[in-house]
Each structure stands twice: as structure tokens, then as C-alpha cells.
Amino acid sequence: MSNAVNYEDILYDEKNGVATITLNRPEKYNAFRGKTCDELIDAFNRAGWNKDVGVIVLTGAGTKAFCTGGDQSAHEGSYDGRGTIGLPIEALHAIIRVVPKPVIAKVRGFAVGGGNVLATLCDLTIAGESAQFGQVGPKVGSVDPGFGTAYLARIVGEKKAREIWYLCRRYTAVEAMAMGLVNKVVPDDQLDAEVATWCAELMEKSPTALAIAKRSFNADSDNINGIAAMGMQALKLYYDTEESQEGVRAFHEKRKPDFRKYAK
């Protein structure tokens, strides 16, 4: 399988058994639009079923952000692609779990909103000291009602997950590691080398054993697919309301939203 692929929103590379998928929209803090999600799904499928690939690394271009979730400039009531909410986000979340390879999130800068969800879904997360984690949904008229909530609670606990979503605070890489959201924190200039070390260790392990382990971990939380499907359908209806659209307007106008005047 050739690794010469031309994508618009992402970069794809295979080397020494490691497939690196890079969100390449640094001018947008690596926020994703519909096209980005489709390209990520394609790249994960390429890497996931290539027997020469043993590990997949997901990261973001530049130093400012891993990913900041859905591109608000492509969101006016719904996003600009396919899927329940105009983004194939359910398919993207599913492929990260379905591929029978460990997926490592390599995080510099912001991993917030949908970007925090992607890092949460990856099997392992290694962060530079500049990394910041958190959710923003209730600040901009959105939420991720599936793996972003229920699966997050499995990782950090119910109380902490509710704090993350209700208050929309930012957490440092060290704080994220303390709550179990991150496996390792290193200085930013050592992040590439640290991830390479983890990848090399994984490449020495039995790929079949790793695949079985991943699938057995996933089996315990696969019911969250149903929660996500129901939640995304509700989110589609929510995006049609003035309350949600106030969040988008306020984001574009760089002001605080006034959600309560639209609440019914």
C-alpha cells in the first residue's frame, strides 16, 4: 500500500511501522470541518488495515493546538458535511476504536472541545507541557453527548467529568495526567522522542495480542455507541434552536453569549 496520499486538511505518513496522522489546519487551531473528518476516517482506514503498520499517532500541526474541535466558521445551525449534525463525528469516533492498532494522541497546545474528545478516545495520550485540555460545548451552544461524556466519565470519574463539562475550565497537562486523561507529560522539545520511544516499544509486542486487548477493552464500553447515536440526534434538534445559535453568534462576534433569554 502506497503512503503517497494527497489530503487537503491532514497529513499522512508511514515510517518504521508507525502511521502518523496530522491535523493540518494550524490557522484554525486544527479545528475540523466535514472534509477534515472524512479525510481522518480515510487515513485511519488506510493505517488500521495495513499489516505493515503497528501503531497510529494522531497529532496536530504547529505548536498552538492538537485540535480545538468543530470549526465554528463552518457551523451555522449545522456543520458543512455529512452525518447527523453535519459532521461524520460518530464514524470518526468509531474508527479510532475499531482499528486493531494502538492509537496514540500526541498533544501540544490546546486539546479542547472535540479535540479533547479525540484525545480521550485514543488508546494512549502523551502530552507536552504546553498542552491544555478541557471542554467548551456549553459555552458555545453545543455538547458531545456520547463518548465525550459517558466515556470521559469512565476515565476520570463521574464527578470530574461533570466538572469538566459543566464549568468548561482548562486543565494543564500535569492536571490531566493526575486525573487519568494523560499517560505521560514531557517538555515540548522531548515530545516527539518520547512518542517515538513508546511506538518502538509497541512495535516489539505481538500485534494480535494488542488487537485482542484493544477489542476486549472496547467491548466493555461499546454500549456508549447507542448513547452517542441518541445524543447526536438530540444535538441536531438543539442546533436548530435560538439558544444554540446564540452560542455560534457570540463566538463570531467575540462576546459573551446570553443563553438564558432563549431557554424554554
Side-chain angles (χ1 to χ4, degrees):
M1 181 181 291
S2 170
N3 63 5
V5 191
N6 292 319
Y7 292 116
E8 184 177 343
D9 286 7
I10 69 171
L11 301 173
Y12 182 87
D13 178 68
E14 291 175 15
K15 185 177 181 181
N16 299 326
V18 179
T20 300
I21 302 170
T22 304
L23 285 149
N24 191 32
R25 305 186 80 215
E27 75 286 353
K28 295 283 189 180
Y29 288 83
N30 294 321
F32 49 73
R33 55 181 176 168
K35 184 179 186 64
T36 319
C37 292
D38 282 329
E39 290 185 354
L40 286 169
I41 292 165
D42 184 80
F44 270 102
N45 270 308
R46 286 183 64 82
W49 309 108
N50 181 352
K51 291 183 179 179
D52 293 331
V53 171
V55 188
I56 302 171
V57 175
L58 178 64
T59 192
T63 60
K64 293 182 178 179
F66 166 75
C67 177
T68 54
D71 183 354
Q72 293 300 301
S73 67
H75 177 205
E76 293 183 7
S78 66
Y79 287 97
D80 64 337
R82 62 188 176 88
T84 306
I85 61 169
L87 287 174
I89 200 68
E90 295 155 273
L92 176 56
H93 291 173
I95 193 64
I96 293 172
R97 288 168 58 86
V98 164
V99 292
K101 317 282 173 74
V103 180
I104 298 176
K106 180 169 69 174
V107 181
R108 287 186 179 90
F110 297 113
V112 298
N116 186 63
V117 178
L118 293 181
T120 300
L121 275 167
C122 290
D123 297 284
L124 303 163
T125 298
I126 303 174
E129 290 175 336
S130 69
Q132 292 187 47
F133 298 82
Q135 288 301 333
V136 295
K139 291 173 65 175
V140 296
S142 185
V143 69
D144 194 322
F147 286 103
T149 51
Y151 187 62
L152 178 68
R154 294 210 178 197
I155 292 174
V156 304
E158 283 274 352
K159 290 288 187 180
K160 201 66 181 179
R162 290 170 190 259
E163 174 192 314
I164 289 168
W165 272 102
Y166 295 172
L167 299 180
C168 300
R169 292 174 175 170
R170 300 278 173 83
Y171 302 87
T172 67
V174 172
E175 290 171 327
M177 185 170 67
M179 69 176 82
L181 197 57
V182 168
N183 295 91
K184 183 75 177 285
V185 178
V186 296
D188 278 33
D189 62 1
Q190 297 177 26
L191 182 59
D192 291 343
E194 185 68 26
V195 171
T197 296
W198 286 55
C199 289
E201 287 189 41
L202 287 165
M203 287 297 296
E204 295 175 350
K205 306 303 187 291
S206 162
T208 302
L210 291 176
I212 293 169
K214 179 166 181 172
R215 296 201 184 287
S216 62
F217 282 126
N218 287 349
D220 186 52
S221 54
D222 272 348
N223 64 298
I224 297 175
N225 283 313
I227 298 171
M230 181 177 65
M232 289 296 173
Q233 200 66 46
L235 190 62
K236 175 180 172 59
L237 299 175
Y238 172 52
Y239 280 167
D240 290 335
T241 68
E242 284 292 327
E243 182 181 343
S244 173
Q245 291 169 20
E246 166 65 6
V248 179
R249 288 192 296 267
F251 176 84
H252 291 314
E253 295 167 9
K254 295 180 171 57
R255 61 173 173 83
K256 283 189 176 183
D258 183 4
F259 292 116
R260 295 201 171 271
K261 70 180 179 182
Y262 296 110
K264 296 181 180 179

